[in-house]
Amino acid sequence: MGKSLIIVESPAKVKTIKKFLGAGYAVQASVGHVRDLPKSSIGVDEANGFAPHYEVIAGKEKVVASLREAAAKADVVYLAPDPDREGEAIAWHVAELVKDKNANIKRIQFNEITARAVREALAHPRDLNVALFDAQQARRVLDRLVGYKISPLLWKNVKRGISAGRVQSVALRLIVEREEERRAFVPEEYWVFKSLLEGATPPPFRAELWKVEGKKPQIPDAAAAAALEEALRGQPCVVRSVEEKERSRPPQPPFTTSTLQQSANQRLGYAAKRTMNIAQRLYEGVELGERGTTALITYMRTDSVRIAAEAQSAAAAYIEGRFGKDYLAPGGKRDFKGKAGAQDAHEAIRPVDVTLSPEDVKPHLAPDQYQLYRLIWSRFVASQMAAARFHDTTVIVDCGLAQWRARGERLLFPGFLALTPRGKEEEGVELPPLAAGDALTMKELTREQKFTQPAPRFTEASLVRELEELGIGRPSTYATIISTLQDRDYVTLEEKHFAPTDLGRVVCDRLRDHFQTLMDVGFTAQMEERLDKVAEGGQDWVALLRDFSRDFDPTLAAAAKAMNQVKTGVSTDVACPRCGKPLVVKFGKTGEFLACSGYPECRFTSNYTRDEKGQIHIQERVKPELEKVGVCPECGSDLVIKMSRAGSRFIACTGYPKCAHTEPFSTGVPCPREGCDGVLVEKSSRRGKLFYSCSAYPKCDYALWDKPVQESCPACGSPLLVEKTSKARGRVLACPEKSCRYVRSLEEGEAAPEDDASLLSLAEPKGDC
């Protein structure tokens, strides 16, 4: 009898699965998708049922040939790509390519890469799920129609090379409209009062002004604040009431794709794309010394909070052994209810083996892998623990015409907080013993001027949450949506918050004006629901596309006639400092810039920034002195440090324009990503803010805002530190890992490495700056 062939997606899985399958199985990888729509044409026959024209992806010919050869030698072919819509599509396309070599094809899937799960899958193979494939195919064709038909309009009228996307464009609209809301916001002044009260038993405690003459206080200006302070000072204070109650706080459910992305962004500072890349490695398997290649987490693309019974039992045993029986959830397990419409085919994200604690595997993991595994492991174990219990106290104090309110809490039983303790900023304050009628002394009375604030810009975490709540896209697509918006220069990430660029605003305006249905949040969410129905077998995918085209095609034709061009620039009210004519915003190959509308008579150009209200500020260009750093490898002329238009340094040949050789300015610090041989180089954002990224980009997207220093962190082992400025300590060296708080002052005579010859080593590979 010949071997059975198992085809998975990634080479990493091949190694993990081979470890526990016998000699009767061959395991090969498709290395992701093997077929797709062509890049050079739309590839969809709209006149014949939207039939797609698929072709083997360029560069995958050898992979396909190898799979066909292996299939011909096997008794049975098991298709085992990831257990989701995209994985089903990969399985379908592989089947189409090998079925003439071996028609005995079965589909298997597993939520975790363990011997038990793989053998269970092999024991229960199934046929390919046509409905699930149709759902992926419908989504792919739909996105192709939108992208390939609208993008040329943007090339013609805005800037060549940009794109529109069915979901991406709606996500852009959310960011743009949040910015519009912020710019239109008019802050209102208000004042808050706080007091320090003391009773017969210490310590003193803080209270906030709650009511004035029985109503919520309205203190709009300094005059009203001063008058109220005068009325409050010197008044006797008496405890009116003390309300005490017990409160329990249950743990959160284990992670879904969306909540993992949000938490990793909030707690670790990881972008959604980075989080998913790390999770993929943990799912596929990492080397754990004597254990060999071991999968650490279950499948990371899931909407479900369901946990398998055996995983709950394993968690209960671990919790009881480490903390005791009292720390178990009631009944020894805790189940969670998923949100409406969640895809429940797979479990929540959890550790494969709960007994493998983060500290057990830390020596074998890269720092970011360890941090993410610890996040997943802790969240899962905590989800199966008892609730934390608190004793809450609310005290109301009468003081003349006003009432003050103080709140306190006392932890009665930590429950899951024994595993995941709160930070100091989350901990409540315990109040002293108080009773109604107790006299209090006001030790301190303070007032503070404040202003109402606009809605904050989206962070990655809050944008992911918003997309999920609105039903836009699917959690597995959020990382791609966000990275595409950044890659197209539609948004920038400023201090961890998304701000739309002028290019992003112009694109959004054009799409809102001419494609109202496509840009409608409700329509996009409804389309996701219809695609889900296709996956469930309740909606014909061709009928879905016909319905979409019925509105889209005439809208597209109208937009082609009515969309106006902005290639000459977007008008501003800023005068050219040279000739006085209005400046315009233009979109060039290297980003946005200001140019004089009097061109070619006036050739003034400049970078610029916008403030919170959207006002333009011209950036002055500082021309640095040229510093020789080497010899050009192409022509032998001197290499010197130059300044880019955006503000970062780069290395260029003095023989320009005859020799156009350039290289990025290297920090000399190796990229800390596992398996990456790049170095960190100086770059600048479109807004002129310096950052440091890997020279191997786009293969590696590691980046830092702060200057890296080649020194490992003594606290967590991070391979580098960063130089930054602290208000409290001045210049410091700090660990870039968000979960590590290592900081060392540089203000006491210790110097950080400077830009000497060691930092002027030229980065490889050479590239365009």
Side-chain angles (χ1 to χ4, degrees):
M1 188 175 83
K3 287 186 176 182
S4 297
L5 173 65
I6 300 177
I7 299 176
V8 295
E9 281 185 45
S10 74
K13 286 185 189 175
V14 173
K15 194 172 182 181
T16 308
I17 292 173
K18 274 185 174 179
K19 187 180 77 169
F20 44 73
L21 285 183
Y25 293 91
V27 187
Q28 287 193 206
S30 70
V31 196
H33 282 274
V34 289
R35 294 202 311 177
D36 197 5
L37 298 172
K39 287 188 175 181
S40 58
S41 63
I42 197 165
V44 177
D45 190 348
E46 297 174 74
N48 291 293
F50 299 92
H53 171 65
Y54 294 114
E55 58 183 32
V56 174
I57 296 170
K60 287 293 186 75
E61 295 83 1
K62 288 184 178 179
V63 171
V64 170
S66 178
L67 294 177
R68 285 171 54 81
E69 182 181 348
K73 297 176 182 177
D75 288 338
V76 59
V77 177
Y78 292 104
L79 303 175
D82 287 344
D84 58 11
R85 189 181 292 168
E86 212 64 29
E88 201 71 18
I90 293 174
W92 182 276
H93 287 297
V94 170
E96 289 292 300
L97 291 170
V98 305
K99 66 183 181 182
D100 63 324
K101 297 292 185 181
N102 190 331
N104 190 13
I105 299 173
K106 298 292 181 183
R107 174 76 162 111
I108 60 171
Q109 63 183 60
F110 30 82
N111 189 53
E112 59 187 57
I113 306 177
T114 60
R116 179 197 59 78
V118 173
R119 291 195 178 105
E120 178 75 12
L122 288 167
H124 299 89
R126 62 170 174 81
D127 293 330
L128 284 163
N129 187 327
V130 177
L132 199 59
F133 169 70
D134 282 347
Q136 190 277 342
Q137 183 166 250
R139 182 185 294 274
R140 186 73 187 94
V141 170
L142 191 60
D143 291 343
R144 173 57 65 99
L145 294 175
V146 171
Y148 270 52
K149 291 189 175 187
I150 296 181
S151 296
L153 291 181
L154 297 179
W155 299 353
K156 177 183 176 182
N157 295 293
V158 182
K159 177 187 174 184
R160 187 158 186 84
I162 60 177
S163 69
R166 182 179 59 86
V167 179
Q168 150 203 328
S169 299
V170 179
L172 174 61
R173 177 177 186 167
L174 296 177
I175 295 171
V176 168
E177 291 186 346
R178 176 62 60 88
E179 193 71 10
E180 291 171 346
E181 180 185 345
R182 288 172 56 81
R183 290 184 180 180
F185 182 82
V186 178
E188 294 182 4
E189 181 183 2
Y190 69 100
W191 289 72
V192 295
F193 279 70
K194 293 183 180 180
S195 64
L196 182 67
L197 303 172
E198 185 176 38
T201 306
F205 59 94
R206 297 276 175 189
E208 294 183 350
L209 185 62
W210 183 44
K211 289 184 179 180
V212 176
E213 295 182 328
K215 298 178 181 179
K216 183 180 178 181
Q218 302 288 336
I219 313 167
D221 51 43
L228 180 59
E229 182 178 358
E230 182 67 26
L232 293 176
R233 284 200 181 276
Q235 296 294 323
C237 297
V238 178
V239 175
R240 167 186 264 200
S241 64
V242 178
E243 181 184 343
E244 296 181 324
K245 62 180 179 181
E246 190 170 311
R247 167 176 60 90
S248 67
R249 176 184 163 189
Q252 294 177 298
F255 285 125
T256 61
T257 303
S258 170
T259 55
L260 176 62
Q261 290 174 358
Q262 292 174 49
S263 188
N265 182 252
Q266 292 166 336
R267 298 184 59 181
L268 304 176
Y270 293 173
K273 184 176 180 180
R274 182 180 179 187
T275 297
M276 295 309 289
N277 286 341
I278 300 168
Q280 185 86 34
R281 291 293 304 276
L282 297 177
Y283 165 67
E284 292 175 348
V286 292
E287 286 291 332
L288 295 184
E290 294 180 358
R291 283 177 172 266
T293 305
T294 305
L296 290 179
I297 66 169
T298 55
Y299 192 53
M300 64 286 164
R301 292 184 178 91
T302 176
D303 291 347
S304 176
V305 290
R306 179 174 56 82
I307 307 170
E310 59 268 25
Q312 289 180 316
S313 298
Y318 178 86
I319 294 164
E320 185 173 353
R322 178 173 170 180
F323 298 102
K325 217 166 192 175
D326 290 345
Y327 285 82
L328 285 173
K333 67 173 186 175
R334 189 187 300 276
D335 295 309
F336 297 89
K337 185 178 180 181
K339 63 182 180 66
Q343 305 296 305
D344 198 47
H346 318 299
E347 286 185 70
I349 305 170
R350 61 168 175 81
V352 168
D353 182 356
V354 74
T355 64
L356 275 180
S357 74
E359 298 310 312
D360 291 336
V361 298
K362 184 177 182 179
H364 307 288
L365 302 183
D368 54 1
Q369 292 175 340
Y370 163 72
Q371 298 288 5
L372 195 68
Y373 180 66
R374 184 174 70 169
L375 199 65
I376 293 168
W377 183 91
S378 300
R379 177 82 163 230
F380 167 69
V381 176
S383 76
Q384 297 302 296
M385 295 179 71
R389 289 187 288 110
F390 300 89
H391 185 276
D392 287 346
T393 304
T394 302
V395 176
I396 305 298
V397 177
D398 286 330
C399 185
L401 54 78
Q403 291 180 326
W404 300 82
R405 182 172 65 182
R407 286 174 168 164
E409 73 170 28
R410 177 163 48 91
L411 180 64
L412 299 176
F413 177 68
F416 73 94
L417 293 178
L419 178 69
T420 56
R422 298 176 294 172
K424 286 186 177 180
E425 66 280 359
E426 297 177 293
E427 293 179 359
V429 177
E430 187 171 349
L431 296 178
L434 295 166
D438 285 355
L440 302 175
T441 302
M442 185 179 291
K443 306 278 291 181
E444 187 179 293
L445 176 63
T446 60
R447 56 181 166 131
E448 183 182 359
Q449 181 189 39
K450 291 197 173 186
F451 292 90
T452 54
Q453 297 296 313
R457 287 171 170 164
F458 288 110
T459 62
E460 278 219 14
S462 61
L463 181 59
V464 165
R465 183 167 59 249
E466 185 81 355
L467 291 171
E468 184 178 38
E469 288 178 355
L470 294 173
I472 299 171
R474 283 290 173 257
S476 59
T477 67
Y478 295 157
T480 302
I481 291 168
I482 292 169
S483 62
T484 300
L485 291 176
Q486 293 176 281
D487 292 343
R488 296 286 182 268
D489 292 326
Y490 292 162
V491 302
T492 59
L493 200 57
E494 299 181 1
E495 299 297 331
K496 300 181 180 179
H497 290 78
F498 286 115
T501 62
D502 281 331
L503 177 61
R505 275 190 285 269
V506 167
V507 168
C508 183
D509 287 345
R510 296 298 179 276
L511 296 177
R512 278 189 301 193
D513 290 345
H514 300 286
F515 297 92
Q516 294 180 7
T517 300
L518 189 71
M519 290 290 281
D520 181 70
V521 170
F523 172 81
T524 306
Q526 185 185 53
M527 183 59 71
E528 292 296 341
E529 293 174 359
R530 293 189 67 185
L531 288 167
D532 287 342
K533 287 183 179 179
V534 174
E536 296 162 4
Q539 164 76 60
D540 178 72
W541 74 277
V542 176
L544 181 151
L545 291 171
R546 284 202 191 100
D547 289 346
F548 172 78
S549 297
R550 198 171 291 119
D551 175 74
F552 178 67
D553 288 345
T555 301
L556 184 75
K561 295 178 181 178
M563 190 179 289
N564 62 313
Q565 288 198 0
V566 295
K567 285 194 171 182
T568 55
V570 179
S571 299
T572 75
D573 57 2
V574 181
C576 174
R578 288 186 188 169
C579 71
K581 291 183 178 179
L583 294 177
V584 295
V585 174
K586 302 200 79 172
F587 308 118
K589 290 182 179 179
T590 58
E592 305 164 353
F593 64 97
L594 290 175
C596 184
S597 59
Y599 178 87
E601 288 78 17
C602 179
R603 294 175 176 268
F604 175 81
T605 62
S606 174
N607 285 333
Y608 68 97
T609 58
R610 286 187 184 269
D611 59 25
E612 282 287 308
K613 287 297 181 183
Q615 297 299 311
I616 286 177
H617 300 277
I618 297 174
Q619 271 190 326
E620 293 186 14
R621 295 177 67 180
V622 179
K623 194 170 183 179
E625 294 184 10
L626 298 182
E627 180 182 347
K628 180 180 174 181
V629 295
V631 177
C632 177
E634 296 183 23
C635 73
S637 299
D638 289 342
L639 290 178
V640 295
I641 299 174
K642 288 191 172 184
M643 189 76 77
S644 72
R645 176 189 288 173
S648 61
R649 292 170 291 182
F650 67 99
I651 294 167
C653 180
T654 53
Y656 181 84
K658 289 183 179 180
C659 179
H661 178 80
T662 60
E663 300 179 13
F665 186 88
S666 173
T667 65
V669 179
C671 177
R673 283 272 175 90
E674 183 183 17
C676 180
D677 57 2
V679 295
L680 299 182
V681 298
E682 189 173 293
K683 294 284 186 180
S684 51
S685 71
R686 303 300 187 198
R687 300 283 176 172
K689 184 173 180 181
L690 284 179
F691 68 96
Y692 303 85
S693 66
C694 181
S695 60
Y697 181 84
K699 181 181 177 183
C700 175
D701 63 355
Y702 185 85
L704 291 164
W705 283 115
D706 302 301
K707 178 181 173 183
V709 174
Q710 191 173 351
E711 179 183 331
S712 61
C713 176
C716 74
S718 167
L720 58 80
L721 298 175
V722 294
E723 184 181 344
K724 56 202 309 182
T725 301
S726 161
K727 288 183 180 178
R729 302 178 64 176
R731 288 173 62 244
V732 298
L733 283 183
C735 183
E737 296 296 330
K738 191 170 182 180
S739 57
C740 178
R741 300 190 176 184
Y742 176 77
V743 178
R744 185 172 81 246
S745 175
L746 291 174
E747 294 293 305
E748 299 169 1
E750 183 182 348
E754 297 295 337
D755 289 335
D756 57 17
S758 67
L759 290 184
L760 297 179
S761 56
L762 306 184
E764 295 290 345
K766 298 176 179 63
D768 182 12
C769 292

